[in-house]
Amino acid sequence: MLENSKKEVSENELLKQNEYIRKVHSIVASSPKQKKFYSLAMGCQMNAHDSEKICSMLLKMGYTQTFSENDADFIIYNTCCIRENAEDKVYGKLGYLKHLKRQNPDLLIALCGCMMQENHVIDKIKTSYRHADIIFGTFNLHKLPELIYNRMESGDMIIDVWEEHGEIVEDTSYKREYPFKASVNIMYGCNNFCSYCIVPYVRGRERSREKEDILNEIRGLVKDGVKEVCLLGQNVNSYGKTLSTPVTFAQLLKDINEIEGLERIRFMTSHPKDLSDELIEAMKTLDKVCPYLHLPVQSGSTRVLEKMNRHYTKESYIALVEKIRKAIPDIMLSTDIMVGFPGETEEDFQDTLDVVRKCGYSTAFTFIYSRRRGTPADVMDCQIDEKTAHDRFDRLLEVLNSGIHEIHSKLLGTTVNVLVEEVSRQDEDIVSGRSEHNSLVHFKGDSSLIGKTVPVKITENKTFYLMGERI
Ligand code: SAH
Ligand code: SF4
Ligand code: F3S
C-alpha cells in the first residue's frame, strides 16, 4: 500500500512537470531564433548525473545545447560546495555572467545543486548577484520546467530551495553523455556525518531507490546499447537498509549481474566501515563486477580518523585491504586522501604516507582540507596553516605517484579489456578507454572502435596511463 502511494506521488509530479515542459516548449518554439542552453556540472559524479537530467529536460523544452556561454539564452550551473575553491569558482563565474547579461538582457541564469542548499549562499546571491533568475537546490531538480515557466511568466527571481527531500521522483527517460556507459543512482543522501563534510547537510538523509526501479532502468539502458554502468551513492555499502523490504548491496549486484547484454558493473563510493564479506564475495564471484574498488581512506592516522568520525582505524583499514586483495588478487584500488585536517601532526601525516605505501593505489583523489561552515571540524582547534598543508600535499603526491607507477607496472605484458571511449585529441590514430581495472589505456585504433570492448596487451607504463597494442 505504502509502496503504491509513493509511486503515485512520483508519477503525478512527473505528469505535472510534463505539462510545464509543454508550456515552456510553446514559448521557446515561438521565438524567432532557436533558443540555446549552456549547462555546467561543477561537482562530483552525482552532480554530473543530475546535469544529464537537467539537459534532458531542457531539450524536451525545445532548447538546443550550446557549449559556448556567450551563445546561450539559458545558462545553468550545477554547483558544488565540497571545498571552498568550488564555491569561489561559482562566484567568479557569476561575475562574468553579469557582463553577459548586460549584453543580452533576455538571458536566463539558473543556479542549482549543493551550494544552493546553504543559507549564507542564498543570502549572498540575493544581495550581490541579483542577475540570477532561477535558484533551486538538490531536492527538487525535477521541478525545473515549472520554475522556468514561472520565471518566464512573472519576470521575478525565483528561489525554490527545499530543506528536506521529498519522495524520490522516478524519471529515467533522460539523455546520457555516452551511449555505451551510464551512471545510475542507487541511493541519495548520506547519514555518516564525517566531521569535515558538508554533503549530509546539502544532500539530506540516506534513501535508497527500490531494487526493481534500478533493475528496470539498467535493463532499459542495456537495450539502448549501454555496456557499462556505474552505480552511484555516497556510501553504496549501506544500500537498501532503509527500504521497506531491506536489500543488501551485494544482493543488488547479483541481480544486476544477471542482466543480459550488460558487460561491466562499477560502483562508488564504498565506505570502509561498511564493506561486508558478502560484498567481497560478490565482487569475487560476479563476472560483470569490475576488479576495481574506490575505498576512500581520508587519513592514515587512527587519531585523525576518530576526529573525522570515520569509524575505522589505520590497522582495520589495512587489514580490510589485505582481505580484499587476498580474495581478488588482480583488484586495483583507488582512494580519496585529505591532508591538513585540524590538529594533524607530522606523525599523523607519516601514518597517511605509510598507508599509501602499504595499500598500493592505482588512482587517488587528493585534497587539502577546506573549512566548511556548519561542520564540526570547522570549529575544531588547531586548524593547520596553508604552508604546512601544501607541503604535506606535495610530499603525499610524491609517494602516491611512485606507488601508482609500481602498481601499473604489474600490468606490463598482460592483456586487459578496454572499453574504447574516444579518439585521442592529440593523435587521431590513437584511441583511449578504460580497462576493467579502470586504468586509462591508449592504443592504435580508429573511431570505429568507440563503444567496443577490445583486448589490448599493455606495452608501456606511463604512470597515470598505459600504452598498449590491440591483439
Ligand atoms: N561519500 C564519499 C565522498 C564524497 S566527497 C566518501 O565517503 O568517501 C569526495 C571527497 O571529497 C571525500 O572523500 C573527501 O576526501 C573530500 N572532501 C570532503 N569534504 C572535504 C573538505 N571539507 N575538505 C577537503 N576535502 C573534502
Ligand atoms: Fe561526506 Fe562522509 Fe558522507 Fe562521504 S560518507 S559524503 S565523506 S559525510
Ligand atoms: Fe558532489 Fe560537491 Fe555536492 S562533491 S554531492 S556536488 S557538494
Side-chain angles (χ1 to χ4, degrees), residues 42-47 78-83 113-115 138 198-199 202-203 234:
M42 305 178 83
C44 60
Q45 287 203 13
M46 303 233 181
N47 175 280
N78 193 2
T79 62
C80 170
C81 54
I82 197 85
R83 284 168 288 276
C114 294
M115 193 175 155
T138 57
I198 192 102
V199 172
V202 296
R203 288 266 172 182
Q234 293 299 351

Side-chain angles (χ1 to χ4, degrees), residues 4 33 45 100 145 165 168 256 265 293 304 366 377 418 423 448:
N4 286 341
K33 178 178 143 273
Q45 287 203 13
L100 266 191
H165 65 86
I168 294 177
I256 298 176
I265 307 168
L293 181 67
V304 172
T366 46
V418 178
V423 174
S448 68

Side-chain angles (χ1 to χ4, degrees), residues 33-44:
K33 178 178 143 273
Q34 171 63 53
K35 296 249 184 216
K36 295 180 192 156
F37 75 91
Y38 173 88
S39 152
L40 182 65
M42 305 178 83
C44 60

